[in-house]
Amino acid sequence: MDTDRDTLIDLYLRMVRIRTFEEQAGKLQEAGKVPGALHLYVGEEAVASGVMSHLSNEDQITSTHRGHGHLVAKGGDFKKMFAELYGRETGYCRGKGGSMHISDLDLGMLGANGIVGAGPPIAIGAAFSNKYRKTRNVTCCFFGDGASNEGTFHEAANMAALYRLPVVFVCENNGFGEFTRQERHQAIQDIADRASGYGMPGVVVDGMDVMAVYEAAGEAIERARRGEGPTLLECKTYRFFDHVGVRGMGVVYRDDSEVIEWRKRDPLVLFEARLLEMNTASAGELQQLRERVLFEVEEAIAFAEASPFPADSALLEDVYTVTGG
Amino acid sequence: MDTDRDTLIDLYLRMVRIRTFEEQAGKLQEAGKVPGALHLYVGEEAVASGVMSHLSNEDQITSTHRGHGHLVAKGGDFKKMFAELYGRETGYCRGKGGSMHISDLDLGMLGANGIVGAGPPIAIGAAFSNKYRKTRNVTCCFFGDGASNEGTFHEAANMAALYRLPVVFVCENNGFGEFTRQERHQAIQDIADRASGYGMPGVVVDGMDVMAVYEAAGEAIERARRGEGPTLLECKTYRFFDHVGVRGMGVVYRDDSEVIEWRKRDPLVLFEARLLEMNTASAGELQQLRERVLFEVEEAIAFAEASPFPADSALLEDVYTVTGG
Amino acid sequence: MTSTESSPKRELAYVQAINEGLTQLMRADPDIFLAGEDVALYGGVFGTSRGLLAEFGSDRVVDTPIAESGLLGLGLGAAATGLRPIIEIMFMDFMGVCMDEIVNQVAKMKYMFGGKAVLPLTIQTMSGGGTGMAAQHSQSLEAWFCHVPGLKVVMPSGPYEAKGLLVSAVRDDNPVIVANVKTILAHRAHVPEELYAIPLGKAHIVRPGSNFTIVATGRMVSESLTAADQLAAEGIDVEIVDPRTLQPLDIETIVTSVRKTHRALIAHEAVRFGGIGAEIAAQVQEEVFDYLDAPVGRVGAPFAPVPFSPPLEKLYVPNAGRIVAEVRRMLGR
Amino acid sequence: MTSTESSPKRELAYVQAINEGLTQLMRADPDIFLAGEDVALYGGVFGTSRGLLAEFGSDRVVDTPIAESGLLGLGLGAAATGLRPIIEIMFMDFMGVCMDEIVNQVAKMKYMFGGKAVLPLTIQTMSGGGTGMAAQHSQSLEAWFCHVPGLKVVMPSGPYEAKGLLVSAVRDDNPVIVANVKTILAHRAHVPEELYAIPLGKAHIVRPGSNFTIVATGRMVSESLTAADQLAAEGIDVEIVDPRTLQPLDIETIVTSVRKTHRALIAHEAVRFGGIGAEIAAQVQEEVFDYLDAPVGRVGAPFAPVPFSPPLEKLYVPNAGRIVAEVRRMLGR
Ligand SMILES: Cc1ncc(C[n+]2csc(CCOP(=O)(O)OP(=O)(O)O)c2C)c(N)n1
Ligand SMILES: Cc1ncc(C[n+]2csc(CCOP(=O)(O)OP(=O)(O)O)c2C)c(N)n1
Ligand SMILES: [Mg+2]
Ligand SMILES: [Mg+2]
């Protein structure tokens, strides 16, 4: 392992930020403070964190309905995020998008998306743009195992390979599309096997191991930057909570024992152990870091709660851009 | 080769019927007698013929915009076909469908289709039906290399493999989607390579060799009948004429020399030579057979030309079924 | 077909009415199957198909991958070969991902084939806003489908309609889109226990009245009832017509009402511009121009996507208050 | 930007007007690229992009696989990251296969993001029947898109409009759908050589008249001119309004005309039920009810898919004869 300390801590920090954000968001929803549907990312933190630590603000990502983790890992501002979940004017989308459409174009985060499979086509557009402008920027496209069955993925993957676009398709295979287990939605085990059908490399990686994701993503992203085209990177992971909301156990579509098994491979716990083992940081330092993040999250929640709702006039604003023409 | 004489002659006859139908249809269009767009199947006869000789009227097919050959091979009635191309009341669709929607539900031919990629979803529905009713019937889904990039193919292929549906995906890879060469629409050479990404076998076969198609299709269809699920069968073929209409040479998107090379492997000429070589039939017998077919085609054209156009009242008929409810 | 005695007062929630309709239909006809995302093991994300897997098994209650074009094709191909499929598209907003199948394949196959295809296909979905689900999970897109010859479209306004229209939709030999309304899933009303059918293409007078006609669809029916109560206090006696089926539209019942009341307002959840209200308004003035004392009015959503923020969403979705205000405006009050 | 002297009489065909518009736009702005099926090497199946590959190269004139969702996504992602894409969907009928991208992604991204996305995206396509191409290659589906907040929709009625509206569409910082009309591709008219823009959202009085207003879109504009000539002989002086942009709709110009003429008919190629004519009729009666001497009339396609058979197709597609007949009927003649 030759990754430097800063990178390791950075990876840990990204994961902690996601976990803390999501746990608090879940609590707020249970308390009835946050309306709508929250699809939480708890359990999958290693994927977003491992990928995002290779990206700058000029690199883009497309996201999914389960998008908070992606935005947090991309550097999202807790305040604007919570304000958005609360539907406030100070939120990322002036409260108009909510959880399923949270986005930050300045960070290259092209939006959570309520339509499964909507990301891949948008991602190739951003990648096309990067190539057109002859930049070295890369677009990472996050999508689920369920989304891998949508036609949009197929169309985008084919075009990405054909044009050798600088894009990485990051499949977050958490074993379920909503309440349907992978083996009941596709007859294959490794979604990465689809890559060869487009003429791109397919890679499977342990999505609970942030270092493994970091390394595999690094290679795929570098490949894209070099102009060698797309990669399909499948990260095997697991969703600890329910499809929507926080309940993870006692559900009809999976056994608690399965959840318990996967929780033993909690990416945060695994990585913390590794950091301690490698003496990268002391338990106290990590504890401090977690506390700092929790404090930030609490501050952000307070900010959100103190923020105003959008004025009635906002209803008809932002439908069209008024410049140009 | 242990295929019996009847089968061999049947294969030849199917090909001759397609070729003759298409050449005459092309002439009629050039003469301004047939309106709309004709996508002719000349050069690809071995594919439809080799597949269809395994199917009964209880087995279904879905087709494409290039659908005449499929219907002819499935046993289509020349009279109703020409009448349809002429837009006459006596046509397969009362003249309302034309070339792009020609169909015969009694023969299990679920329609030519003007939308590229529309066939695969419909095919899995018919196959689902066959399975639901516990029949041993099979659905063959014809589609082009161009169509293999549509999301619909992906979705249908995945579902077919998942449910082990009795369907065979027959990819007619004629090297072009309209005017775009395969290498400019996908980064792979063998579309059959996509099969493994769904968990089904993929087979490549010489689509100019009707016996090769016959054998490979036979295996795939038998597999489906046995309940072992779908196969992706890619037939490498070539379109001798233009995408629309009859002109095949002197076009911007391919060299004449390429057409000349492929024409050397004309599936009819190849198979005729083989039949003679194997003493399956004499040159005279084959000649007689071709003349009989030409006569039938001419009769059918006369029938079509003598047929009335639909009455004005037909305009608003057939939008809804009036039974049921 | 089961036909139990119906207790006259039995009430069901909208969601239960759908569930009971599905169950009874499937008991009566082995050619009916239900396919969709999470309809089987989970019983549907709205609970509409709960218990069906246990009763009918996985051959007839089919969970599918997230692949709506494939799903619709599954329904179309099965219908064209003799089955009677019910295909669930979870949210009406997702119709975009299988629009070609619905509009170019399902709707047109019969006509293109010169009448030979019989397509007893039902597509059931959930429309409407008001749940904090934002722009891609809150739309009412029925106007698109009403514009497409070959499709029928129904929009049940309550539990009784939900079951009765579903039964007719499934038994109809044509493709029918059933646009349920998610915000009224918990509404309760009397629902007969037997397998009854509400005829397609027939509007229903929900409330008779003498001097104002409100044509309301889906959830706007109950909102209009609330509005009518308020307006009654002001001496305005509102007649409420629920078209129930939007395609084919029973314009006769609507114009008969307007001939009596001389004023009409159409209320729907969909965006006002280009909504079904435009067609109804256009037809009403074509048919009974001389009876009209005022232009036909329309209440619908404003010209914006559905916003997430609760106060904005509340402003967005039409309701009784907006209907009352529009009626008053039309009467110059 | 090139700005050659314009010879006042120069005529171009509709298809050439599009071609010239594309060429001049791309010369003027390196951020513009064109992507679609067979737009590059072949120059577009209708010939609209002939010569562009040679001039601008394959980075800017891009042949794509047959994958319309991917194609639209390519446009959206590129627009959201600062380019100005022109995406061609060969036939308007194919919009169904990428409907989600257009309606849930392209149209809503800006609003869902609280205004931050700027999406200068043009989607150009070909609408209309009359070419013997049957039900899946002949539709006019503009009403769907007019119902979707976030989109703009234009429908050029001739060569002058084809170039000028394309220029405005491409330069607009919003998603604009350009619904060209394939049966008038060979129509010729004066087209200025310079890169001119026709403002979006402004209707045009094609023919002034005093006692009847015809609002006509696309090909119905020239059909209405023919009809007007015929009607003039009967003493009916028709004013023809071409909205040019259907969303946003310039209702002001339309009602100003109706205030003068007291009668209005809307003519479009699309299916009459639920077409844009319904919305225009509804708005006209809302705005100028007291000026109307008769109900607002509508001419559109009948309620059926487009038939292949030439005599049926001829019956199907609205034309001058049908417009004349409807005007006469409205005038009780
Ligand atoms: C087109 C479309 N179909 C269905 C849905 C409903 N839906 C929302 S999330 C989801 C499951 C997605 O599964 P996956 O892609 O594996 O992502 P995960 O939720 O596991 O992160 C479904 C079916 C949707 N939002 N969009
Ligand atoms: C959805 C859709 N997109 C585009 C077209 C236009 N189109 C008609 S045929 C065709 C090419 C199809 O190529 P392929 O699938 O290889 O079939 P082939 O014509 O070679 O037999 C295209 C692009 C269409 N009809 N439908
Ligand atoms: Mg998943
Ligand atoms: Mg091809």
Side-chain angles (χ1 to χ4, degrees):
Chain A
M1 171 101 24
D2 52 2
T3 314
D4 62 35
R5 182 176 186 278
D6 284 357
T7 304
L8 296 172
I9 296 295
D10 172 75
L11 286 169
Y12 183 71
L13 182 60
R14 286 182 207 253
M15 291 205 288
V16 169
R17 288 174 65 85
I18 298 173
R19 175 70 54 95
T20 314
F21 183 94
E22 293 293 66
E23 285 180 345
Q24 297 307 312
K27 280 187 194 153
L28 293 170
Q29 175 148 74
E30 292 209 309
K33 292 187 167 189
V34 166
L38 293 192
H39 304 85
L40 300 173
Y41 197 70
V42 173
E44 312 186 26
E45 294 88 347
V47 182
S49 302
V51 172
M52 241 64 90
S53 61
H54 296 285
L55 303 182
S56 80
N57 291 355
E58 276 66 51
D59 298 310
Q60 306 91 355
I61 64 165
T62 61
S63 173
T64 66
H65 55 288
R66 200 175 301 290
H68 309 166
H70 304 138
L71 180 50
V72 170
K74 195 94 185 25
D77 177 335
F78 282 164
K79 289 195 171 126
K80 293 185 187 170
M81 288 188 71
F82 275 111
E84 190 56 34
L85 299 193
Y86 273 86
R88 305 300 163 104
E89 173 71 31
T90 52
Y92 260 119
C93 312
R94 301 185 65 193
K96 293 180 177 187
S99 166
M100 270 197 284
H101 307 295
I102 202 158
S103 63
D104 185 341
L105 292 181
D106 296 332
L107 294 177
M109 199 288 196
L110 302 180
N113 208 307
I115 300 294
V116 171
I122 299 172
I124 63 165
F128 181 90
S129 211
N130 292 336
K131 192 175 176 192
Y132 191 91
R133 299 164 182 290
K134 306 199 189 332
T135 69
R136 280 174 54 85
N137 298 325
V138 167
T139 308
C140 289
C141 168
F142 293 87
F143 66 106
D145 52 303
S148 75
N149 299 324
E150 284 278 11
T152 46
F153 162 69
H154 177 74
E155 298 189 9
N158 181 62
M159 290 171 79
L162 176 68
Y163 301 135
R164 289 183 155 244
L165 295 178
V167 56
V168 179
F169 295 100
V170 183
C171 183
E172 308 183 300
N173 183 353
N174 62 8
F176 294 88
E178 272 190 5
F179 314 106
T180 300
R181 195 175 279 282
Q182 187 194 354
E183 69 215 49
R184 293 184 53 249
H185 72 61
Q186 53 193 199
I188 53 170
Q189 288 194 324
D190 292 335
I191 295 168
D193 286 352
R194 294 195 167 161
S196 61
Y198 305 109
M200 68 172 91
V203 180
V204 177
V205 73
D206 178 358
M208 304 312 255
D209 177 349
V210 71
M211 285 308 301
V213 174
Y214 176 78
E215 278 166 26
E219 274 176 43
I221 290 167
E222 266 318 302
R223 192 170 171 274
R225 286 203 205 287
R226 286 194 306 267
E228 290 167 24
T231 300
L232 173 54
L233 177 64
E234 177 184 6
C235 306
K236 307 274 193 188
T237 180
Y238 197 79
R239 154 166 72 62
F240 290 174
F241 288 175
D242 204 353
H243 171 62
V244 181
V246 303
R247 194 169 139 219
M249 309 267 254
V251 293
V252 57
Y253 59 93
R254 66 184 186 189
D255 287 341
D256 286 356
S257 62
E258 181 179 290
V259 184
I260 291 164
E261 275 312 301
W262 275 96
R263 274 196 177 268
K264 289 186 191 152
R265 306 205 58 246
D266 183 324
L268 273 140
V269 174
L270 287 186
F271 194 51
E272 194 181 332
R274 195 135 153 213
L275 290 178
L276 296 177
E277 192 187 291
M278 297 189 301
N279 280 321
T280 312
S282 69
E285 284 167 318
L286 298 182
Q287 166 80 9
Q288 241 181 353
L289 190 150
R290 288 196 300 270
E291 280 165 9
R292 203 184 71 216
V293 170
L294 183 60
F295 177 76
E296 274 178 53
V297 162
E298 281 166 354
E299 250 187 351
I301 294 170
F303 169 82
E305 295 189 348
S307 290
F309 284 107
D312 287 0
S313 58
L315 181 66
L316 295 177
E317 291 164 5
D318 305 323
V319 184
Y320 295 99
T321 301
V322 289
T323 59
Chain B
M1 172 99 25
D2 54 1
T3 314
D4 62 36
R5 182 174 186 280
D6 284 358
T7 304
L8 295 172
I9 296 295
D10 173 76
L11 285 170
Y12 184 69
L13 182 59
R14 285 181 207 255
M15 289 205 289
V16 169
R17 289 174 64 84
I18 298 172
R19 175 69 54 95
T20 314
F21 182 95
E22 292 294 65
E23 285 181 345
Q24 297 306 312
K27 280 187 194 150
L28 294 169
Q29 175 149 73
E30 291 209 308
K33 293 187 167 188
V34 165
L38 293 192
H39 303 86
L40 301 173
Y41 198 69
V42 172
E44 312 186 26
E45 293 89 348
V47 182
S49 303
V51 172
M52 242 63 90
S53 62
H54 296 284
L55 303 182
S56 80
N57 292 354
E58 276 65 53
D59 298 310
Q60 305 91 355
I61 64 164
T62 60
S63 172
T64 66
H65 55 288
R66 198 175 301 290
H68 308 166
H70 303 138
L71 180 49
V72 169
K74 195 94 186 20
D77 177 335
F78 281 165
K79 289 195 172 125
K80 292 185 187 168
M81 288 187 71
F82 275 112
E84 190 57 34
L85 298 193
Y86 273 86
R88 306 300 163 103
E89 173 70 31
T90 53
Y92 260 119
C93 312
R94 302 185 68 192
K96 293 180 176 186
S99 166
M100 269 196 285
H101 307 295
I102 202 158
S103 62
D104 185 342
L105 292 182
D106 295 333
L107 294 178
M109 198 289 196
L110 301 180
N113 209 307
I115 300 294
V116 170
I122 299 173
I124 63 165
F128 181 90
S129 212
N130 293 336
K131 192 175 176 193
Y132 190 91
R133 298 164 182 292
K134 306 198 190 331
T135 69
R136 279 174 56 83
N137 298 324
V138 167
T139 309
C140 289
C141 168
F142 293 87
F143 66 106
D145 52 305
S148 76
N149 298 325
E150 284 278 12
T152 47
F153 161 68
H154 177 75
E155 297 189 9
N158 182 62
M159 289 171 79
L162 176 68
Y163 300 136
R164 291 183 154 243
L165 295 178
V167 56
V168 179
F169 294 100
V170 183
C171 183
E172 307 183 301
N173 183 353
N174 62 8
F176 294 89
E178 274 191 2
F179 314 105
T180 299
R181 195 175 277 284
Q182 187 194 355
E183 70 214 48
R184 292 184 54 249
H185 72 60
Q186 52 193 199
I188 53 170
Q189 288 194 325
D190 292 335
I191 295 167
D193 286 352
R194 292 193 170 163
S196 62
Y198 306 109
M200 67 171 92
V203 179
V204 177
V205 73
D206 178 358
M208 304 312 255
D209 177 348
V210 71
M211 285 309 300
V213 174
Y214 176 78
E215 278 165 27
E219 273 176 44
I221 290 168
E222 265 318 302
R223 193 171 171 274
R225 286 204 205 285
R226 287 194 306 266
E228 291 167 25
T231 301
L232 174 53
L233 176 62
E234 177 185 5
C235 305
K236 307 274 193 190
T237 181
Y238 198 77
R239 154 165 73 61
F240 289 173
F241 288 174
D242 204 352
H243 171 63
V244 180
V246 303
R247 193 168 139 220
M249 308 267 254
V251 293
V252 57
Y253 59 93
R254 66 185 185 189
D255 286 342
D256 286 355
S257 61
E258 181 179 290
V259 184
I260 291 165
E261 275 312 302
W262 275 96
R263 273 194 177 271
K264 289 186 191 154
R265 307 206 58 247
D266 183 324
L268 273 141
V269 174
L270 286 186
F271 193 50
E272 194 182 332
R274 193 134 156 216
L275 291 178
L276 296 177
E277 191 187 291
M278 297 189 301
N279 280 321
T280 312
S282 68
E285 286 168 318
L286 298 182
Q287 166 80 9
Q288 243 182 351
L289 190 149
R290 287 196 300 270
E291 280 165 10
R292 204 185 72 216
V293 170
L294 182 59
F295 178 75
E296 274 178 53
V297 161
E298 281 166 354
E299 251 188 352
I301 294 170
F303 169 82
E305 293 190 349
S307 291
F309 283 108
D312 288 359
S313 59
L315 181 66
L316 294 177
E317 291 164 7
D318 306 323
V319 184
Y320 294 99
T321 301
V322 288
T323 59
Chain C
M1 194 187 307
T2 55
S3 173
T4 18
E5 272 313 281
S6 188
S7 90
K9 313 219 116 72
R10 191 189 67 140
E11 290 202 344
L12 287 185
Y14 194 110
V15 60
Q16 295 169 311
I18 297 172
N19 186 262
E20 184 171 278
L22 290 171
T23 306
Q24 294 178 345
L25 282 161
M26 290 186 71
R27 281 184 193 147
D29 183 350
D31 285 344
I32 297 175
F33 72 93
L34 170 70
E37 292 157 18
D38 290 311
V39 298
L41 179 61
Y42 199 74
V45 296
F46 297 99
T48 49
S49 49
R50 212 159 280 164
L52 266 58
L53 177 64
E55 178 165 353
F56 301 107
S58 60
D59 286 351
R60 295 185 65 196
V61 188
V62 184
D63 276 333
T64 69
I66 313 172
E68 288 80 4
S69 293
L71 173 54
L72 244 299
L74 189 84
L76 173 57
T81 53
L83 298 183
R84 195 169 285 275
I86 305 173
I87 298 298
E88 174 164 310
I89 299 295
M90 197 184 291
F91 285 75
M92 190 170 213
D93 311 67
F94 306 163
M95 295 244 169
V97 294
C98 50
M99 194 70 176
D100 183 72
E101 278 65 33
I102 301 176
V103 162
N104 279 330
Q105 312 302 331
V106 166
K108 296 183 174 46
M109 185 186 271
K110 182 180 189 70
Y111 192 82
M112 294 188 307
F113 290 7
K116 267 166 243 137
V118 178
L119 299 171
L121 172 66
T122 300
I123 304 171
Q124 72 172 14
T125 193
M126 285 288 164
S127 70
T131 61
M133 299 278 280
Q136 294 173 338
H137 285 74
S138 307
Q139 293 168 88
S140 300
L141 300 168
E142 59 280 2
W144 284 354
F145 303 101
C146 295
H147 187 44
V148 179
L151 300 176
K152 297 186 179 180
V153 182
V154 304
M155 188 173 249
S157 55
Y160 176 77
E161 290 78 10
K163 181 174 169 186
L165 289 170
L166 175 66
V167 169
S168 289
V170 172
R171 290 187 169 173
D172 197 279
D173 280 342
N174 294 286
V176 184
I177 294 176
V178 181
N180 289 305
V181 184
K182 66 176 93 69
T183 42
I184 58 177
L185 284 171
H187 280 204
R188 299 180 70 83
H190 170 57
V191 175
E193 279 172 46
E194 65 270 15
L195 189 53
Y196 64 96
I198 297 178
L200 302 187
K202 287 298 299 168
H204 173 63
I205 309 285
V206 179
R207 181 193 195 280
S210 60
N211 53 24
F212 203 104
T213 300
I214 296 179
V215 181
T217 68
R219 183 154 89 91
M220 291 305 109
V221 173
S222 47
E223 296 294 322
S224 296
L225 280 165
T226 308
D229 286 346
Q230 255 180 270
L231 293 162
E234 303 172 24
I236 307 164
D237 183 22
V238 171
E239 175 150 306
I240 300 174
V241 184
D242 174 5
R244 288 181 169 172
T245 308
L246 302 180
Q247 187 61 271
L249 180 71
D250 178 6
I251 192 68
E252 228 4 83
T253 299
I254 295 169
V255 297
T256 302
S257 173
V258 180
R259 262 190 220 105
K260 177 174 71 177
T261 63
H262 306 290
R263 288 174 203 269
L265 171 74
I266 301 125
H268 55 59
E269 260 205 63
V271 166
R272 191 183 126 109
F273 192 109
I276 188 69
E279 178 64 33
I280 298 175
Q283 288 197 31
V284 166
Q285 59 94 39
E286 279 158 14
E287 301 278 325
V288 290
F289 186 73
D290 293 334
Y291 289 84
L292 285 173
D293 287 347
V296 182
R298 292 180 289 156
V299 165
F303 205 65
V306 185
F308 165 70
S309 186
L312 293 186
E313 191 185 26
K314 206 153 174 229
L315 263 185
Y316 183 92
V317 181
N319 58 19
R322 298 238 326 262
I323 294 168
V324 167
E326 187 60 16
V327 171
R328 286 198 191 124
R329 194 195 59 74
M330 284 174 63
L331 291 165
R333 302 193 185 180
Chain D
M1 194 186 306
T2 55
S3 174
T4 17
E5 270 313 279
S6 188
S7 91
K9 311 218 119 70
R10 190 189 69 138
E11 290 202 343
L12 286 185
Y14 193 110
V15 60
Q16 294 169 311
I18 296 172
N19 186 261
E20 184 170 279
L22 290 171
T23 306
Q24 294 178 346
L25 281 161
M26 290 186 71
R27 280 185 194 145
D29 183 350
D31 285 343
I32 297 175
F33 72 93
L34 170 70
E37 293 157 18
D38 289 311
V39 298
L41 179 61
Y42 199 75
V45 296
F46 297 99
T48 48
S49 49
R50 214 159 278 164
L52 266 57
L53 177 63
E55 179 165 352
F56 301 108
S58 60
D59 287 351
R60 295 185 65 197
V61 187
V62 185
D63 277 333
T64 69
I66 313 173
E68 287 80 4
S69 293
L71 171 54
L72 243 299
L74 188 84
L76 173 57
T81 52
L83 297 182
R84 194 170 285 274
I86 305 174
I87 299 298
E88 175 165 308
I89 299 295
M90 198 183 290
F91 285 75
M92 191 170 213
D93 311 67
F94 307 163
M95 295 243 169
V97 295
C98 50
M99 194 69 176
D100 183 72
E101 277 66 32
I102 302 176
V103 162
N104 279 330
Q105 312 302 330
V106 166
K108 295 182 175 45
M109 187 187 270
K110 182 181 188 70
Y111 191 83
M112 294 188 307
F113 289 8
K116 269 167 241 138
V118 178
L119 299 171
L121 172 66
T122 300
I123 304 172
Q124 72 173 13
T125 192
M126 286 287 165
S127 70
T131 61
M133 298 277 281
Q136 294 172 339
H137 286 74
S138 308
Q139 292 168 88
S140 300
L141 299 169
E142 61 280 2
W144 284 353
F145 304 101
C146 293
H147 187 44
V148 179
L151 299 176
K152 297 186 179 181
V153 182
V154 303
M155 187 172 250
S157 55
Y160 176 77
E161 289 79 8
K163 181 174 169 185
L165 288 170
L166 175 66
V167 169
S168 289
V170 172
R171 290 187 170 172
D172 197 278
D173 280 342
N174 294 285
V176 184
I177 293 176
V178 181
N180 290 304
V181 183
K182 64 176 93 70
T183 42
I184 57 177
L185 283 172
H187 281 204
R188 299 180 70 82
H190 170 58
V191 175
E193 278 172 46
E194 66 269 16
L195 187 53
Y196 64 95
I198 297 179
L200 303 187
K202 286 301 296 170
H204 174 62
I205 309 286
V206 178
R207 180 194 196 278
S210 61
N211 54 24
F212 203 103
T213 299
I214 296 179
V215 181
T217 67
R219 182 152 89 90
M220 291 305 109
V221 172
S222 47
E223 296 294 323
S224 297
L225 280 165
T226 307
D229 286 345
Q230 256 181 268
L231 292 163
E234 305 172 22
I236 307 164
D237 183 22
V238 171
E239 174 149 308
I240 299 174
V241 183
D242 173 4
R244 289 180 170 173
T245 307
L246 302 180
Q247 187 62 269
L249 180 71
D250 177 5
I251 193 67
E252 226 8 80
T253 300
I254 295 168
V255 298
T256 302
S257 173
V258 180
R259 262 189 220 108
K260 176 173 70 177
T261 63
H262 305 291
R263 287 173 204 269
L265 170 74
I266 302 124
H268 55 59
E269 260 206 64
V271 166
R272 190 183 126 110
F273 193 108
I276 187 71
E279 178 64 33
I280 298 175
Q283 288 197 30
V284 166
Q285 59 95 38
E286 279 159 14
E287 302 277 325
V288 290
F289 186 74
D290 293 335
Y291 290 85
L292 284 172
D293 286 347
V296 182
R298 291 182 288 157
V299 165
F303 204 65
V306 185
F308 165 70
S309 185
L312 293 185
E313 192 186 25
K314 207 155 172 227
L315 263 184
Y316 183 92
V317 181
N319 58 20
R322 297 237 328 262
I323 293 169
V324 168
E326 188 59 18
V327 170
R328 287 197 190 124
R329 195 195 60 75
M330 285 174 62
L331 291 165
R333 304 195 183 178

